Amino acid sequence: RLSQSGINFTGLSTHTGNFDLDGDLDVDGHTNLDNVSVAGILTATSSVHAGANLQVNSDVGKLKLGASQDFELYHNGTDSYIDNNTGDLYVQTTGSGDDIIVESADDFVVKTNGTQRIKVEETGDIELGSGSDLTTHVGNRQRVAILGSSSNGSMLHIRGGSPAIFFDQSGGNISKIYQDNVNLAFHAGTPATEGTNTFLLTAGGNATFAGNLTADGDLDVDGHTNLDNVSIAGVTTFATTAEFN
């Protein structure tokens, strides 16, 4: 039916050519379209179902979610981004026993305010801090390295009721503490006050004790021994000549 207000189709209408509509198209029933090209804004008041891919074929286009479009997914031609502008970003799984798996063909880096905080290298090494201050290495010799600045140094803080360092010789080898041509000092105190030097082991192997040295077992000295005062409660045996001045 054709009237001044427009055309009203009550039945089936077939068009073999183009159909140019300058006004609105109001469809109360189902609409089946092979291809749709929208030059402006597409507004959907209900759900949008895609039987295949939902594509944004542009490096400047973004998939925006939320009433104020606070959540964005986009690719800028070089990198891909998940951008959350309001509130916290949660990545979670609510299924029992389900894991969250992050895979990367190269390194995995976590940054805050543009500064590196955590880096998992392709080799499996883990680095913490902007300067890789704490690093765990994997391989034939697994190790943890604390790499502080040359001026401030590094500190390993073990806190607890009875803190301890345990050397497990499950491999049958000797446990070692390395010092790279530097003196090794033990202090009684806190890092803030430095405390008192109680034991010093120099890079040359000399040991200095600030207090008394008590040996519950034998004391074997292969070199020269210089003692200011000696108090012997038991028997002294000399294998060779003993000289007393």
Side-chain angles (χ1 to χ4, degrees), residues 76-90:
N76 65 359
T78 303
D79 302 308
S80 299
Y81 291 85
I82 301 176
D83 190 358
N84 178 53
N85 299 313
T86 302
D88 299 327
L89 176 63
Y90 290 86

Side-chain angles (χ1 to χ4, degrees), residues 92-219:
Q92 65 180 14
T93 173
T94 57
S96 177
D98 295 336
D99 300 327
I100 296 178
I101 299 175
V102 179
E103 294 188 6
S104 173
D106 203 343
D107 300 338
F108 174 74
V109 180
V110 177
K111 295 183 178 181
T112 56
N113 294 326
T115 302
Q116 175 183 312
R117 303 303 180 187
I118 302 175
K119 180 180 181 181
V120 181
E121 295 184 350
E122 183 181 3
T123 58
D125 295 347
I126 301 176
E127 300 177 0
L128 303 180
S130 57
S132 302
D133 302 324
L134 177 62
T135 306
T136 62
H137 298 273
V138 297
N140 295 332
R141 174 170 289 185
Q142 297 181 354
R143 65 187 188 274
V144 176
I146 303 177
L147 306 174
S149 63
S150 57
S151 58
N152 297 328
S154 304
M155 181 180 67
L156 174 62
H157 187 176
I158 303 176
R159 184 177 183 180
S162 299
I165 298 178
F166 174 57
F167 296 92
D168 186 0
Q169 292 185 341
S170 58
N173 296 323
I174 300 175
S175 298
K176 300 177 182 178
I177 298 178
Y178 293 92
Q179 54 181 127
D180 186 13
N181 199 29
V182 294
N183 297 335
L184 179 63
F186 290 83
H187 287 242
T190 65
T193 61
E194 287 294 328
T196 303
N197 188 3
T198 59
F199 172 65
L200 176 64
L201 179 61
T202 67
N206 298 322
T208 302
F209 296 88
N212 297 327
L213 174 61
T214 301
D216 295 332
D218 297 334
L219 179 61

Side-chain angles (χ1 to χ4, degrees), residues 19-102:
F19 187 80
D20 189 1
L21 181 66
D22 294 331
D24 297 335
L25 176 64
D26 186 4
V27 180
D28 294 331
H30 178 72
T31 302
N32 188 2
L33 305 174
D34 293 336
N35 295 284
V36 178
S37 178
V38 180
I41 299 175
L42 174 63
T43 302
T45 58
S46 185
S47 301
V48 176
H49 299 270
N53 297 329
L54 181 61
Q55 298 180 357
V56 180
N57 297 324
S58 172
D59 288 335
V60 297
K62 299 179 179 181
L63 177 60
K64 298 183 178 182
L65 305 177
S68 301
Q69 292 83 51
D70 300 319
F71 184 77
E72 299 177 350
L73 297 174
Y74 62 94
H75 182 77
N76 65 359
T78 303
D79 302 308
S80 299
Y81 291 85
I82 301 176
D83 190 358
N84 178 53
N85 299 313
T86 302
D88 299 327
L89 176 63
Y90 290 86
V91 179
Q92 65 180 14
T93 173
T94 57
S96 177
D98 295 336
D99 300 327
I100 296 178
I101 299 175
V102 179

Side-chain angles (χ1 to χ4, degrees), residues 217-223 225:
D218 297 334
L219 179 61
D220 186 3
V221 180
D222 295 330
T225 303

